[in-house]
Each structure stands twice: as C-alpha cells, then as structure tokens.
Amino acid sequence: MNNVQEESLRDQKKNRRRVQILEIARSIIATKGLKSLKVRDVAEAVGCSVGSVYNEFGDFDGVILTVNRETVQALTARLGGVPAEDPVRQLYGLAATYLDFFAEHANLLRSLFEHRMEDDRPYPDDILQMVMDAFALMHPPLVRLLPDADDVKIALLSRTLFSAVHGIISLGLEERMVAVPPQMLRQQVEQFVDTHLAGLGILPVGARPSR
C-alpha cells in the first residue's frame, strides 16, 4: 500500500469517527438533554479516547456547537418550506411549523439556546446569525402586510413575534412544569398570533384564515 492509499484510509477512518461522535452526541442530547452529555460517555460509545474527540473538534464545545449548527439548519429548512403565497397564512404556518419542530426535537432545540461556552467565551457569531436568519423568516410577510412600516420596526416585530411564539412553546412543552396538551398548545399559539396581528391592525381577532 502506497502513502497516498494509507493517507486516504486514515482520512476515511477520521471522517467515520467524526460522524460517529456527532451521532452519539446528538442522540444523547435528543433523548436525555444537554446536561447529560459527557465527553467520556461519547468517547466510550464511539470506541476512542477523549483526546481523539478533542482532536476532531478542538474541544467539547466544538461537538455541541456542531450539533447545534445542524439543528438550526434543519429548523431553517423546515420553516423555509412554509408556503409564502399568502402572508397571513405564512405567519400562522411559520408558528405552527416551529411548534411541530420543537415538539419533535425539543432537547436539540433547547441545546441551541441553553449551551454556554466554557470559560465564558463568546458564542460563535455564525450560529447567532443562523438563529437570527431563522427569526427573520417572519420579516417578508410582515413587510407585505405593513408596507408603510420602516425596516427597523419590521425587524423588531418579526423578532418579537418569533420570540413570543418560542416562549409559549418552550414553556408549554416543559415537562418539569405543567406541560400543556399538544392540541391546547397549538390553540394557544394560534390565539397569540390572532391577538398580535389584531394589535397591528392586520386582522380582526378571531378572523384566522382557514387552512
């Protein structure tokens, strides 16, 4: 076997190990939550040393951040699939889609917001921007519905709307508190969007569009 072949095999092994580390870390976060994720458990499950995990990702933060990037990418892709023909229906659709994604991937999504970097290092700008880009998906329909509003106001409205929907869903799905039944939670989210749009003069209360 020549040096090129040996290097190729080493790269393949390294790539497989990296994928395995991410799969194990993602599975632990998804089933048990971020606080249950330990580097030694991941290394043991993959069959490598703790040092190998660090070599692949720089540190354990690197593992978590990679999982979080994949989560927000999946969320943005799901939200991006909401039909945009009708801006009012789009806003309701974004809220409903966020609820569905959160219900399916609650611990992974919580990890995105709960993770704190070691040694108080700043959170990576690219992930913060990805989250803001997801929030900004509510921007275009609001622009269409409020054509006279300036861009700063629209940006604040879209962020407020998404943040409020996130809070309602996050608390509603929190099992340590009194979890809200799925159908009731969906109604609460829709009622909030009703009230928010009514407050903006976009839609009368109770005039939710049919699906």
Side-chain angles (χ1 to χ4, degrees):
M1 183 180 298
N2 59 40
N3 291 338
V4 174
Q5 291 173 320
E6 290 178 356
E7 184 175 349
S8 176
L9 289 175
R10 283 197 298 270
D11 289 343
Q12 291 175 18
K13 183 178 180 180
K14 183 177 181 180
N15 289 336
R16 284 197 300 270
R17 183 168 60 205
R18 181 180 178 87
V19 170
Q20 288 177 319
I21 290 170
L22 289 176
E23 288 178 345
I24 295 298
R26 188 186 305 109
S27 176
I28 293 173
I29 294 173
T31 57
K32 300 179 181 180
L34 179 61
K35 292 181 178 179
S36 297
L37 185 66
K38 309 297 180 188
V39 64
R40 292 189 180 279
D41 293 340
V42 174
E44 182 177 339
V46 174
C48 68
S49 66
V50 170
S52 294
V53 176
Y54 291 149
N55 287 338
E56 290 295 337
F57 294 91
D59 54 27
F60 203 44
D61 275 334
V63 178
I64 299 169
L65 292 173
T66 302
V67 173
N68 286 349
R69 284 187 181 93
E70 293 177 349
T71 298
V72 72
Q73 286 170 347
L75 169 63
T76 303
R78 183 83 71 87
L79 293 173
V82 174
E85 291 81 6
D86 183 310
V88 172
R89 285 192 174 88
Q90 185 181 6
L91 288 174
Y92 281 97
L94 288 168
T97 300
Y98 192 68
L99 170 58
D100 291 340
F101 188 92
F102 207 133
E104 294 168 18
H105 308 288
N107 284 332
L108 287 171
L109 201 52
R110 288 194 180 102
S111 172
L112 180 65
F113 296 101
E114 292 176 356
H115 178 54
R116 297 293 180 269
M117 301 287 288
E118 292 183 3
D119 303 322
D120 294 324
R121 289 178 296 165
Y123 207 71
D125 289 339
D126 70 303
I127 300 183
L128 293 174
Q129 186 59 54
M130 291 166 71
V131 173
M132 293 306 297
D133 289 345
F135 283 11
L137 289 171
M138 286 192 167
H139 193 108
L142 286 171
V143 169
R144 294 169 61 189
L145 292 167
L146 299 169
D148 296 328
D150 62 60
D151 199 59
V152 173
K153 180 179 179 179
I154 294 294
L156 289 173
L157 284 173
S158 63
R159 181 172 180 174
T160 298
L161 181 55
F162 214 130
S163 297
V165 169
H166 168 80
I168 293 169
I169 295 170
S170 180
L171 289 174
L173 293 175
E174 181 54 71
E175 295 179 355
R176 289 174 296 180
M177 303 176 68
V178 180
V180 179
Q183 187 55 39
M184 186 177 295
L185 183 56
R186 187 174 299 277
Q187 291 173 356
Q188 289 182 349
V189 171
E190 291 177 343
Q191 287 167 2
F192 168 76
V193 178
D194 286 347
T195 304
H196 191 76
L197 295 185
L200 295 173
I202 294 173
L203 202 67
V205 174
R208 186 184 312 146
S210 58
R211 295 178 184 173

